[in-house]
Amino acid sequence: MPSPVPPLTPTIEIPRTYRVKSFGCQMNVYDGERMAELLAEQGIAAAPEGEEADLVVLNTCHIRERAAEKVFSDIGRLKRQDGSTPLIAVAGCVAQAEGDEIMKRSPAVKMVVGPQAYHRLPEMIRVAAEGKRITDTDMPAETKFDALPPRGQGGRRSGPTAFLTVQEGCDKFCTYCVVPYTRGAEVSRPHADLIDEAKRLVDAGAREITLLGQNVNAWYGKDAKGRKVGLAGLIRELAEIPDLARIRYTTSHPNDMTEALIVAHGEVAKLMPFLHLPVQAGNDRVLKAMNRSHTAESYLKILDRVRAVRPDIALSGDFIVGFPGETDAEFEDTLRLVDAVGYAQCFSFKYSPRAGTPAATMDDQVAPAVMDERLQRLQAAVNRDQYAFNKATVGRTCEVLVERKGKLPGQWLGKSPWLQSVHFVGEAAVGDVVTVELTEAGANSLSARLLSTVPA
Ligand code: SAH
Ligand code: SF4
Ligand code: F3S
């Protein structure tokens, strides 16, 4: 029997299955979900767990060094045993910042698509199917949101917790950060679109919505009556959606923490008592060199005001250790600030020089060993505070939104209002808001006793 002759120009078929892997912040995860919905609308199905997909979208993050390196090792790992590769698209912030480099370094990558252009993926797939490689890192005037299929389309269900991007981009230009370059300028999505998307998410099963933005509290819009509203107004309106139980928002910037938003923390019951407010450092010279445009004291004053209206609020922050020129004494100021606040949780990072940002070429880059030591000390302090916060909540009665089954029989996992992971045993279902008593604290989670179930 004659063996089949391979075609002269190898063409790739339109993929039948996809997998989207997201590596970045919550907004990156949100983009991943929207891309998945878009691909599903094209008739491409999610690849079943454990099975290879025809199309793999690597939804990347550029914020620190290792994030980008991970993309290249991931591309390598996608090679199959027979030497073939799936159709690979690199999306996200590395795509935006290093699209050309990726195309040069990785022949297996057929598509590079930036965070503001992914609504064009279907067209790109058709081009790639003809065997061509294609890059789209435009930041088009038309917004991707208008071109994406509505949430919950085709009966798609949402989990009990959902993300909703309300604002994108950043105009703050902290000297260490790539986000203003990878995401572009600050843009707020229209009020009506957000109310509509939130309602659709709730109809699809969401009980909690986390409003997302690089500077989420810089969001502004016009309500149905044409009045200008800020994030606090949007939160108040979302709180009117009957089946929505909880509202959260992240990430906020200290300079956009308005009085209205602070007041909302004291008045809107559905707004959870949790505030993630990055400060980055506790020393004013370092903060100025970072172009943070707030001081340690002005930051602490904001927290005082929030605590005045919502005494039980759980506080969270981001920190960078080893910013260029940071001395030992300046780092001690960061530890002092941590001690003063008593965070419920924190994210801390070693400074990572990012090409194209002002800090990358500053003098006095801090030695890696010094950064390691500072990070260890900072993390020991925040772990101590997190444990202390968890212990202080033992004995409280609170609501938990059930997110999934636990490992043990009859066990459920969910989140407290203060974003703690809570596990309990009893009669419940995913999506229930149940009342529990917190009984025992660990460093990262708490056990609880089920008191009553409020049907979902
Ligand atoms: N818009 C948010 C979050 C931006 S990125 C904000 O302003 O807070 C999330 C966190 O990554 C930042 O808060 C910062 O702590 C960290 N980060 C950003 N750039 C970094 C860099 N070059 N090196 C180390 N950490 C960085
Ligand atoms: Fe980056 Fe600063 Fe903008 Fe946050 S506020 S995204 S850290 S530039
Ligand atoms: Fe990363 Fe881009 Fe988010 S760089 S942190 S995925 S905005």
Side-chain angles (χ1 to χ4, degrees), residues 170 172-174 176-177 179-180 214-215 253 280 292:
C170 182
K172 306 275 192 294
F173 290 92
C174 300
Y176 50 81
C177 184
V179 171
Q214 261 89 25
N215 291 288
H253 191 284
Q280 315 298 355
R292 283 296 292 184

Side-chain angles (χ1 to χ4, degrees), residues 314-353:
L315 298 167
S316 160
D318 285 352
F319 291 89
I320 295 176
V321 301
F323 183 80
E326 185 187 65
T327 64
D328 284 337
E330 287 167 343
F331 170 67
E332 297 289 337
D333 287 342
T334 296
L335 292 178
R336 258 189 288 279
L337 182 138
V338 167
D339 286 347
V341 173
Y343 287 99
Q345 62 172 56
C346 274
F347 299 93
S348 42
F349 311 102
K350 284 186 273 185
Y351 167 71
S352 169

Side-chain angles (χ1 to χ4, degrees), residues 371-385:
M371 285 204 241
D372 283 336
E373 197 251 346
R374 287 182 191 165
L375 188 69
Q376 268 181 24
R377 288 180 64 197
L378 177 58
Q379 287 186 340
V382 299
N383 289 346
R384 172 203 66 201
D385 289 351

